[in-house]
Amino acid sequence: MKRFGLLIMLLIMGSLLAACSDDEKADAPTDGKLEGEITVWAHPFTGGGEPEAKMWDEIIASYEKETGVKVKFEQIPWANRDQKVLTALAANNGPDVFYAIPDQMPQYADVGMLLELDPYLKDNDMDDFVESSLVSTKWKGKTYGLPILQEAYTFFYNKEIIEAIGEDPEKLPATWDEFEAWAKKAKEKGFYALSYQGGGSMNGTLYPYLWQAGGDILTEDNEVLINNEAGVEAFEFINDLYQNKYIPEDSITAMQHDELWDSGKIMAVLGSGISLSNLLAKDNIEFVIAPPLKNKEQVTYGTTGMFVVPSNSDNKAAAAEFVKVMTNSENQKRFNTVTQYIPTRESAKDIFDGQEYLSQLASYTQYALPGVIHPKGRTIMPFIQAEIQAMMAGEKTPKEAADAAAEAIEAELKK
């Protein structure tokens, strides 16, 4: 699979270079009338059905009416999406617009696969976007996408457990120290303080605490920061949670703790909109949602979804305009009302007015970072995870684990 991936990348580079040499002026916006047709690829965001189909019809109609350009819309599955996009673009028969997530964008942009959108955005109201939503759309100082959705992960607390430990559900922990004080009380009463899914993504385990400590993992210039003072502090925080038995015994490799949470054995879980949907559907736990924790910084994880334009699109100006129309306030309201994600434009967040919990989560996207924005962001995760697991198992100190993670990242960057 690795050789196949490399081959695809080489094919893409060849086709992109050929496209650029054929028409150097193709990347510049046109001042004339837009025309022709574009192809748009997106995924099912709700499992399909009539509401989602109607949403796309309305969004596409708004674009076609405004520009006169026809849209050929194709919904592609999430499975094998990378291979499908890469293969299509290498063969020069891919879409003009497609949906991308934060760990895809820098991979594609770094090899020249994406169109820089900055020249097309002069008339676009960029100040209306939540600042954090634009983080994942930029690489090396250039904009390659516009965001359509965000999430914000934060702690959901079991209200009954809060009361059992003698605390007030209206005065939730705001800092690491306050949370650890609650964690100690929870343990004394026979509860776990938190679900820690050590077998899952670093976005939901290490990274939020590392950012809260004022640290980072890796810069776009390949400076590895994970083992600096802030990084070690985050490793220590996680290690303390485990060694003090504030989190379940299987937290080293656990993928979920649904049974423990559902049975009222865990005080808090890190969750987002899907967690809210599940809680409301089950209706078996009375809960409250807290703002993201703060140590030196108040920050959390939250993915961002965006639309991008391949650099070998045959209709760049029309494609860029679709991305702008797709992410304007009106269409963000359409899209996120149906999908129940959080809009990335402040002016579109009023769709959640009157919805207590979604409105609360929407207010937290200002604190949400989308992960490691780097071409190697996805590939370095297993190395970091292995070191965290070794630390929790008692095989390494937090400093040793952080240093080993840094060494593994540096080795990967040299490949």
Side-chain angles (χ1 to χ4, degrees):
M1 290 297 292
K2 188 172 182 180
R3 289 184 179 179
F4 176 76
L6 179 60
L7 175 61
I8 291 296
M9 292 303 289
L10 290 172
L11 288 170
I12 289 168
M13 286 302 295
S15 64
L16 290 176
L17 289 172
C20 290
S21 63
D22 287 343
D23 188 359
E24 290 291 338
K25 297 181 179 180
D27 287 343
T30 61
D31 295 325
K33 182 180 179 181
L34 299 175
E35 57 185 15
E37 180 180 88
I38 59 171
T39 297
V40 176
W41 283 5
H43 308 289
F45 292 91
T46 66
E50 185 177 344
E52 187 168 351
K54 181 181 178 183
M55 170 200 79
W56 282 115
D57 287 344
E58 291 175 349
I59 290 172
I60 290 168
S62 73
Y63 169 79
E64 291 181 337
K65 181 179 180 180
E66 181 174 322
T67 65
V69 176
K70 295 298 181 182
V71 175
K72 180 183 178 183
F73 177 76
E74 297 181 24
Q75 196 166 72
I76 65 172
W78 289 98
N80 302 315
R81 61 189 182 276
D82 280 325
Q83 294 92 324
K84 183 175 178 65
V85 170
L86 291 173
T87 303
L89 294 182
N92 209 34
N93 63 0
D96 298 286
V97 176
F98 65 96
Y99 179 83
I101 57 178
D103 63 0
Q104 292 174 315
M105 186 283 294
Q107 293 182 62
Y108 298 165
D110 200 51
V111 296
M113 187 191 303
L114 299 182
L115 177 71
E116 181 194 345
L117 294 181
D118 293 293
Y120 300 87
L121 301 179
K122 294 177 182 178
D123 62 342
N124 206 41
D125 182 8
M126 299 302 292
D127 291 337
D128 189 36
F129 283 103
V130 180
E131 186 175 355
S132 63
S133 75
L134 297 174
V135 171
S136 66
T137 68
K138 298 179 183 294
W139 178 246
K140 299 288 187 178
K142 297 179 179 180
T143 304
Y144 290 100
L146 287 181
I148 184 68
L149 65 87
Q150 266 189 296
E151 287 185 301
Y153 279 72
T154 194
F155 284 175
F156 289 65
Y157 285 84
N158 183 316
K159 188 175 180 182
E160 186 176 331
I161 294 178
I162 294 174
E163 294 170 346
I165 66 174
E167 293 292 347
D168 186 347
E170 296 185 3
K171 297 179 180 179
L172 300 170
T175 67
W176 283 11
D177 289 342
E178 291 173 2
F179 181 79
E180 287 187 288
W182 277 38
K184 183 178 180 181
K185 291 182 179 181
K187 179 189 172 185
E188 291 170 352
K189 291 290 186 178
F191 302 106
Y192 292 114
L194 179 67
S195 168
Y196 183 90
Q197 299 166 23
S201 169
M202 293 292 96
N203 289 326
T205 52
L206 173 67
Y207 292 173
Y209 304 115
L210 198 152
W211 296 325
Q212 288 166 11
D216 209 338
I217 300 90
L218 173 69
T219 71
E220 65 179 23
D221 296 320
N222 292 345
E223 182 182 3
V224 179
L225 304 174
I226 195 170
N227 63 331
N228 64 13
E229 184 178 350
V232 173
E233 186 177 3
F235 275 67
E236 289 172 341
F237 180 73
I238 293 169
N239 198 48
D240 288 344
L241 290 177
Y242 190 67
Q243 303 307 329
N244 289 324
K245 300 183 179 180
Y246 296 154
I247 56 181
E249 293 84 349
D250 68 347
S251 292
I252 296 177
T253 58
M255 295 297 292
Q256 52 84 18
H257 288 125
D258 293 349
E259 295 83 2
L260 289 172
W261 169 256
D262 289 343
S263 60
K265 301 292 180 61
I266 294 180
M267 179 177 69
V269 293
L270 184 67
S272 63
I274 191 168
S275 310
L276 175 61
S277 298
N278 290 338
L279 281 166
L280 294 175
K282 291 179 180 178
D283 196 27
N284 64 327
I285 293 178
E286 191 174 2
F287 64 93
V288 287
I289 306 175
L293 281 179
K294 179 180 181 180
N295 185 26
K296 293 182 179 64
E297 304 287 343
Q298 185 177 19
V299 65
T300 187
Y301 167 72
T303 192
T304 303
M306 72 195 81
F307 284 94
V308 298
V309 177
S311 56
N312 63 354
S313 166
D314 291 329
N315 200 347
K316 294 179 176 64
E321 189 65 24
F322 181 87
V323 173
K324 291 161 62 178
V325 172
M326 176 76 211
T327 58
N328 67 24
S329 185
E330 181 182 1
N331 282 328
Q332 286 219 18
K333 289 181 180 182
R334 288 182 172 125
F335 179 91
N336 290 293
T337 296
V338 172
T339 65
Q340 291 292 281
Y341 285 105
I342 300 170
T344 59
R345 284 190 177 275
E346 293 288 1
S347 62
K349 286 186 177 182
D350 60 5
I351 62 172
F352 296 139
D353 286 356
Q355 299 185 55
E356 176 187 1
Y357 298 121
L358 280 172
S359 179
Q360 185 179 359
L361 289 176
S363 72
Y364 298 153
T365 58
Q366 62 181 306
Y367 306 117
L369 293 179
V372 178
I373 306 305
H374 190 280
K376 296 281 188 177
R378 187 183 300 181
T379 58
I380 64 175
M381 274 196 184
F383 307 127
I384 302 170
Q385 183 180 57
E387 299 305 328
I388 290 282
Q389 291 172 332
M391 174 193 72
M392 293 170 70
E395 298 168 6
K396 295 181 180 180
T397 67
K399 180 67 165 65
E400 290 169 343
D403 285 342
E407 290 176 9
I409 295 170
E410 288 167 353
E412 179 64 24
L413 292 175
K414 292 176 181 177
K415 293 180 179 179

